[in-house]
Amino acid sequence: MHDSPASDTVAPAPRRAPQASGHALHTAYDTALLDLDGVVYAGGEAVPHAVDSLAAARASGLRTAYVTNNAARTPQVVAAHLTELGVPAAADEIVTSAQAVARLVAERVPRGARILAVGAEGLRAALAERELTVVETADDEPEAVVQGYGGPSMEWGRLVEAALAVQRGVPWFASNTDLTIPSGRGIAPGNGSAVEVVRLATRWMRTPPEPEVAGKPLPPMHRESILRTGARRPLVVGDRLDTDIEGAHAGDVDSLLVLTGVTDAARLLAASPVHRPTYVARDLRGLLEPQPEVTVGPDGAAGCGGWSARALDGRLELAGDGDPADGLRALCGAAWSAAGAAECRLDAGKPLGRLGL
């Protein structure tokens, strides 16, 4: 603990490039905290190389836990889905934002308290695990309102009950505030969109309420993951900068970004400091590999493998040859060094086209 006031705390310098690891990541960490959508599966099907990579990592002794902001499904259902895909998993390896918010609520209200739950079975099961009583309406005198993703079939009336209870001063919680969620048919509204409905319905109040949120990237989700897994040296593995990677920063742990989901190479190069991962890989095969060194010179020129990159006249330039992932790492070094503590706004179209990323 530091005795000095927060204003005296010196923030760490922004990351200038992805870091190196002389050891394969699955041997350098004891637990991988893996996001699901875009990392292990997409549209319900396994991401290429995910099944074999996870099997190899687990066979070598790496523990795995699957950490998701989706509060709709119970851990048992998620584990069964993973097992069907060829990734054997038990319910106790699944950590959901429903579990994180249920713990948060249980710390604020007495055992058996009445909770107005607006969500699917995953949220209700997590509240029951904490010995909390689910009620259906604002007239049932709830002691808290909790919103979690309810799926496409959630009734509008559930949001009405939540808004009425929050207007009456009932404490308000949300599993997460992701505005969107991927589906097999495209991008659909997520729990954050439902939270916005209640927020809009209560903004007329003199002091508009705000929910207490548990999910990634906020600390309650990271705490839930650590408590349930007992991880001592975890590695967060994800595809989203604003949840997985930012959450790793908030928890002060290392992270691996894979490019199989939401984040593409252009977004990675433009990342602000809290969104810059420790390591970068194209897919989960990166768990099984050492991570190469990225050198950054005093002039901001960066190199990795057979590639060199630099920022010049508002754009990124790339020279050399080799593994495209190394070329991307070199570009990260040049972009992040040029941007410092800001988002990088350099034109990267030409070098990314050359890399096929």
Side-chain angles (χ1 to χ4, degrees):
M1 297 290 290
H2 296 283
D3 296 327
S4 58
S7 59
D8 293 339
T9 302
V10 178
R15 180 168 291 140
R16 299 182 68 200
Q19 292 185 16
S21 173
H23 300 280
L25 297 183
H26 71 296
T27 65
Y29 296 88
D30 68 358
T31 308
L33 303 177
L34 296 119
D35 184 47
L36 287 171
D37 240 322
V39 176
V40 181
Y41 55 66
E45 300 298 324
V47 166
H49 309 294
V51 173
D52 291 344
S53 297
L54 289 171
R58 288 167 62 102
S60 72
L62 180 73
R63 289 183 294 162
T64 54
Y66 303 95
V67 184
T68 176
N69 261 2
N70 191 329
R73 299 191 295 174
T74 65
Q76 290 79 7
V77 170
V78 175
H81 180 204
L82 287 171
T83 301
E84 289 174 3
L85 294 178
V87 182
D92 61 4
E93 294 177 277
I94 313 301
V95 184
T96 73
S97 63
Q99 294 170 323
V101 77
R103 186 186 297 271
L104 202 58
V105 173
E107 293 171 345
R108 307 286 195 275
V109 301
R111 179 181 300 177
R114 295 179 298 278
I115 310 299
L116 177 56
V118 181
E121 182 57 28
L123 178 61
R124 292 169 174 262
L127 292 168
E129 181 186 19
R130 294 291 161 197
E131 300 183 49
L132 299 169
T133 303
V134 173
V135 298
E136 301 301 326
T137 77
D139 296 333
D140 291 326
E141 299 183 349
E143 296 170 68
V145 174
V146 186
Q147 286 187 260
Y149 181 63
S153 62
M154 188 174 70
E155 298 177 357
W156 185 259
R158 305 301 300 156
L159 299 177
V160 172
E161 296 301 327
L164 291 173
V166 172
Q167 289 170 18
R168 296 172 187 177
V170 177
W172 182 21
F173 298 82
S175 63
N176 66 298
T177 51
D178 296 24
L179 290 173
T180 61
I181 187 169
S183 77
R185 299 171 60 197
I187 302 300
N191 191 55
S193 295
V195 170
E196 284 300 310
V197 170
V198 177
R199 182 181 281 117
L200 289 170
T202 57
R203 67 178 180 180
W204 57 268
M205 300 173 68
R206 176 172 295 180
T207 304
E210 286 291 326
E212 190 168 354
V213 183
K216 295 183 285 188
L218 297 172
M221 188 67 169
H222 180 70
R223 179 182 61 151
E224 190 72 18
S225 301
I226 298 303
L227 288 172
R228 287 183 178 270
T229 64
R232 300 182 64 86
R233 184 163 168 74
L235 176 70
V236 170
V237 184
D239 70 308
R240 296 184 70 122
L241 300 178
D242 59 348
T243 55
D244 305 313
I245 306 307
E246 185 176 338
H249 275 271
D252 195 26
V253 298
D254 290 345
S255 61
L256 168 66
L257 179 84
V258 292
L259 301 177
T260 49
V262 168
T263 301
D264 59 17
R267 289 191 181 97
L268 174 62
L269 295 179
S272 63
V274 297
H275 293 159
R276 295 172 187 170
T278 313
Y279 310 110
V280 176
R282 298 187 73 166
D283 52 54
L284 282 178
R285 288 176 295 181
L287 271 179
L288 308 176
E289 302 166 350
Q291 295 295 301
E293 181 181 11
V294 181
T295 60
V296 180
D299 60 351
C304 183
W307 299 95
S308 61
R310 62 175 181 164
L312 181 66
D313 298 331
R315 66 181 186 277
L316 286 170
E317 294 188 343
L318 182 68
D321 198 2
D323 185 341
D326 286 345
L328 178 59
R329 294 178 182 112
L331 286 169
C332 285
W336 297 352
S337 296
E343 292 185 5
C344 176
R345 301 187 181 278
L346 298 170
D347 180 6
K350 186 174 180 179
L352 289 181
R354 182 180 175 191
L355 294 174
L357 298 173

